[in-house]
Amino acid sequence: IFNVDLNLLDKQYKGLQKQLHPDKFATRSSDEQHYSADLASTVNQAYETLKDPYLRSKYLLSLKGVAMRDEGTITDPEILEQVMEAREEIEFSRDPASLDRLRRQNEQILKSTIDLVRQAFDQGDLPLAEKHTMYLSYLLKIQQEILRKLPVH
């Protein structure tokens, strides 16, 4: 249930946006205009959720009754150590080359963690999907911290 064909998603999103474009409702009643605007907003939110693996996973978990907090606690000592080491390395790094190396490493870990989330959903293992999704949230924050410190070209 986790896999999404992003090309198909994009195509369907653009099709719905064309159908719900405000210009198509300019001559309609105020109620119809508001309704189309609400639908367009819902479509935008759904698109943003489905195209992002972290948001998609959180949403799928919520559909299964698992309400994740935005900030969770990492209980796995190995993962906790990885996150703390990465944050420390980012904090003390002044060299753009080392930050870029960290960014590339983190991207690889992100990709493998997304695969783990996918596998957990495929197996119907919601606690494992939740654990990997929580780890994914930390990896995304690490990525943001790295990008914030990297010089803009």
Side-chain angles (χ1 to χ4, degrees):
I1 64 173
F2 183 77
N3 291 334
V4 171
D5 179 336
L6 294 176
N7 290 327
L8 179 60
L9 176 67
D10 195 51
K11 182 179 177 181
Q12 291 176 333
Y13 169 71
K14 288 176 182 173
L16 287 170
Q17 285 301 91
K18 284 180 185 176
Q19 290 176 6
L20 298 171
H21 195 277
D23 290 348
K24 292 195 178 227
F25 292 84
T27 60
R28 303 277 178 95
S29 72
S30 176
D31 285 345
E32 288 175 304
Q33 290 175 7
H34 289 305
Y35 182 69
S36 77
D38 288 345
L39 279 177
S41 176
T42 300
V43 166
N44 288 337
Q45 184 177 1
Y47 176 72
E48 293 301 320
T49 298
L50 291 174
K51 77 175 186 174
D52 180 283
Y54 171 68
L55 295 177
R56 183 181 339 131
S57 183
K58 274 185 65 173
Y59 178 70
L60 290 171
L61 286 167
S62 75
L63 290 177
K64 300 287 187 177
V66 179
M68 287 189 58
R69 299 179 311 249
D70 284 335
E71 283 292 325
T73 303
I74 299 176
T75 56
D76 184 320
E78 186 178 319
I79 292 174
L80 180 59
E81 185 177 334
Q82 288 174 354
V83 169
M84 290 174 64
E85 284 177 5
R87 286 194 166 151
E88 187 175 299
E89 197 169 348
I90 294 165
E91 183 180 341
F92 295 109
S93 181
R94 303 285 180 249
D95 176 29
S98 64
L99 284 169
D100 193 52
R101 177 187 50 78
L102 282 172
R103 180 191 57 78
R104 288 191 312 273
Q105 285 175 346
N106 196 63
E107 283 176 357
Q108 290 302 313
I109 298 168
L110 273 165
K111 287 177 185 175
S112 64
T113 303
I114 290 167
D115 285 339
L116 292 172
V117 170
R118 180 180 297 110
Q119 291 170 19
F121 275 111
D122 288 348
Q123 297 166 1
D125 190 339
L126 297 180
L128 189 58
E130 181 182 20
K131 175 186 172 184
H132 292 313
T133 302
M134 186 59 63
Y135 183 40
L136 189 60
S137 75
Y138 282 93
L139 292 170
L140 290 168
K141 289 173 189 168
I142 288 169
Q143 195 75 352
Q144 289 172 348
E145 290 174 27
I146 293 169
L147 294 174
R148 234 188 330 269
K149 283 196 77 172
L150 274 171
V152 178
H153 298 291

